[in-house]
Amino acid sequence: MTDFPRPAVPNGFPARVEPERHLIPRDFVWGVSTSAYQIEGAAKVDGRGPGIWDAYCREPGRIAGGDNGEVACDHYHRYAEDVALLGKVGVAAYRFSVAWPRVLPAGRGAANEAGLDFYDRLVDAVLRAGIEPWLCLYHWDLPQALQDEGGWLNRDSAAWFADYAALIAGRLGDRVRRFATFNEPSVFALFGYGFAWHPPAVADPAALHKAIHHVNLAHGGAVDALRAQARAPSIGCIHSMQPARAAGGRTAADEAAAALLSAYWNEAFPAPQNRGEYPPLLARAIAPHVRDGDMARIHRPVDWFGLNHYSPIFARADAAAPLGFAWADAPDDVPKTQMGWQVDPWAFRDTLIDVGRRYGLPVYVMENGAGTVEQPDASGNVVDLERVGYLAVYLSALYDALAAGADVRGYFVWSLLDNFEWGSGYNNRFGLVYVDYPTQRRIPKASAYWYAYLIRGIMGRVP
Ligand code: FCB
């Protein structure tokens, strides 16, 4: 990506104990993120319709431990307590997502008032706490009824999504300013249609290319709908951007595999949305799905670039795989979180600098965090020093990016709460706050206190 000299020792990164205040813009936004299916639960309550993850979780062997999001953190009923936690941490912003199946149980047509009421109550509570709501329209939970009509493989999905965006903007856009269209479109597209690891569990390049294009069309349509319906919207899309590296023997074929993974992961959505073109490695494969005028519909002006970043990703050549490459683990000799994700703050710094240069948009880091397996100690506390270390070193990298001139305007930790971590179920925890699932008790971890003091130190917000 960029050409920074790399110190030889990967864990010798100079973590700053004190944040570099002079580097941080005055209005820098400190936040935390969550998503609907991962925390809300109440899957069959108050008229919510089924979503694709409900059905997928019921398929044997899909989710570790046979877990599902039916109850999750029961946030639907406990949102007031969770908003109080936001206040304790002292964040200025809270990113959440709306569950499309909760507000439109059949995906389109009649809205579910009880579902809309829930988001009214949530937004009002967040605003009352002095916190800015950041609303994401789609964090992977497509209504099952739309999947039954072909889901993202149906070109009509773009219009379904724009109508849904208009509904939400019309209902909440008097109070919510910050809107994201999609969370990590490259991840649900690639995992859902390329690797069969997420619903609808397809591994077919032709389907993947079609889905990519339709999701991009949906993004463009939603941007227009949000602008038309919300009062003063500030709109972005949230992309997962991680350097893709060659694993295995690092042969020329492995390097080509990594380049292809990077095109799918890092470029298939940001490039058309922000530059009006598909990346050269994918353009020919996607072309059959592109009609006249499509690129102009996709390439709509947005206000910021949402960036999720955790760790480099790896690929190796595999002629037998549908896409011609296989996903690979990080090498053995690099530092990793308990979840096996490489800890590489330089990759974060380089990505922040690179994204700003490529797209010329202000960048908000909308997710960053560490997955661990943990439990309270004998005194009932959760001392998650691994997470504190990860966050401290990644924030040091962010300060470096600011020093190098990157236009980074905010940072959101994934996540406020431990939650349903997709294929790994409830085993991997990302929260600043521990959730004891049997009792639904919330226990702020050491990292929550650490983050609260950091924010207070910089922003003067009193936890
Ligand atoms: C991201 C997802 C988020 C969470 C984190 C750990 O890819 O957007 O929902 O699962 O990873």
Side-chain angles (χ1 to χ4, degrees):
M1 295 189 128
T2 46
D3 46 3
F4 277 94
R6 277 164 201 283
V9 188
N11 54 6
F13 195 85
R16 293 168 176 76
V17 175
E18 280 295 313
E20 307 231 353
R21 288 195 182 78
H22 64 284
L23 292 172
I24 302 168
R26 273 181 63 85
D27 51 359
F28 193 86
V29 180
W30 295 96
V32 289
S33 293
T34 63
S35 92
Y37 190 71
Q38 294 178 275
I39 65 166
E40 282 181 3
K44 294 179 181 151
V45 172
D46 290 346
R48 178 186 178 276
I52 54 175
W53 276 89
D54 297 304
Y56 184 73
C57 289
R58 277 196 297 273
E59 293 174 24
R62 293 291 195 195
I63 311 292
D67 289 339
N68 61 57
E70 234 169 82
V71 176
C73 308
D74 196 29
H75 171 76
Y76 184 79
H77 296 113
R78 294 166 195 266
Y79 73 91
E81 184 185 350
D82 294 337
V83 172
L85 285 168
L86 292 171
K88 283 198 182 131
V89 179
V91 288
Y94 173 54
R95 171 192 160 203
F96 65 100
S97 78
V98 170
W100 189 349
R102 195 179 290 291
V103 297
L104 287 164
R108 57 201 171 114
N112 175 29
E113 273 304 311
L116 289 166
D117 284 350
F118 168 68
Y119 295 107
D120 265 335
R121 292 196 296 277
L122 175 64
V123 163
D124 289 345
V126 169
L127 287 169
R128 262 199 313 275
I131 296 165
E132 183 173 37
W134 288 57
L135 186 158
C136 177
L137 288 170
Y138 189 84
H139 203 121
W140 305 355
D141 44 356
L142 187 74
Q144 183 62 41
L146 298 183
Q147 184 59 46
D148 296 342
E149 292 184 58
W152 298 112
L153 298 183
N154 187 332
R155 201 177 147 96
D156 292 347
S157 55
W160 303 334
F161 189 65
D163 289 348
Y164 159 56
L167 172 74
I168 297 304
R171 178 71 174 234
L172 300 170
D174 57 335
R175 285 153 288 159
V176 176
R177 235 188 101 229
R178 304 288 197 163
F179 287 96
T181 54
F182 283 95
N183 174 69
E184 299 190 350
S186 69
V187 177
F188 77 78
L190 195 60
F191 286 0
Y193 296 88
F195 287 110
W197 294 341
H198 280 184
V202 170
D204 170 12
L208 172 61
H209 299 141
K210 200 186 250 193
I212 286 172
H213 188 60
H214 292 164
V215 171
N216 275 321
L217 283 170
H219 161 81
V223 170
D224 290 347
L226 292 168
R227 286 226 195 275
Q229 298 293 330
R231 197 152 65 193
S234 170
I235 304 170
C237 183
I238 301 168
H239 300 286
S240 173
M241 304 283 283
Q242 330 289 332
R245 297 182 177 156
R250 306 194 65 151
T251 60
D254 292 329
E255 296 291 349
L260 191 54
L261 172 59
S262 188
Y264 282 115
W265 193 282
N266 295 317
E267 294 177 70
F269 294 89
Q273 292 177 12
N274 299 301
R275 283 208 309 260
E277 62 195 15
Y278 279 109
L281 280 178
L282 305 181
R284 195 163 344 142
I286 298 176
H289 310 294
V290 181
R291 297 189 191 160
D292 279 355
D294 278 5
M295 280 329 244
R297 291 175 59 193
I298 293 170
H299 183 196
R300 307 297 298 143
V302 293
D303 303 296
W304 44 271
F305 190 102
L307 171 88
N308 291 356
H309 183 96
Y310 292 90
S311 169
I313 52 177
F314 294 86
R316 62 181 159 69
D318 180 354
L323 296 170
F325 66 86
W327 188 265
D329 288 337
D332 292 338
D333 58 347
V334 298
K336 299 186 192 88
T337 64
Q338 281 180 42
M339 223 174 143
W341 295 7
Q342 183 180 356
V343 179
D344 183 348
W346 295 285
F348 186 38
R349 177 192 59 189
D350 291 357
T351 303
L352 287 168
I353 294 168
D354 184 65
V355 159
R357 279 193 195 142
R358 251 173 220 259
Y359 300 114
L361 288 167
V363 175
Y364 289 89
V365 177
M366 305 271 13
E367 285 185 26
N368 176 238
T372 56
V373 179
E374 57 203 354
Q375 54 188 26
D377 63 19
S379 61
N381 295 311
V382 183
V383 185
D384 56 339
L385 296 182
E386 179 180 345
R387 179 167 297 99
V388 171
Y390 176 98
L391 295 173
V393 90
Y394 271 67
L395 277 176
S396 298
L398 186 149
Y399 304 144
D400 271 6
L402 288 171
D407 184 9
V408 186
R409 308 257 179 108
Y411 175 86
F412 290 56
V413 173
W414 182 271
S415 180
L416 173 67
L417 302 169
D418 293 339
N419 58 50
F420 174 75
E421 178 48 33
W422 311 114
S424 34
Y426 293 99
N427 201 29
N428 282 306
R429 295 172 178 267
F430 274 88
L432 297 175
V433 175
Y434 183 89
V435 177
D436 178 49
Y437 294 108
T439 62
Q440 291 293 349
R441 209 174 133 223
R442 274 75 164 138
I443 305 172
K445 303 177 193 176
S447 58
Y449 294 98
W450 172 84
Y451 196 45
Y453 281 106
L454 178 111
I455 295 172
R456 184 169 63 172
I458 297 170
M459 304 298 295
R461 286 179 75 93
V462 180

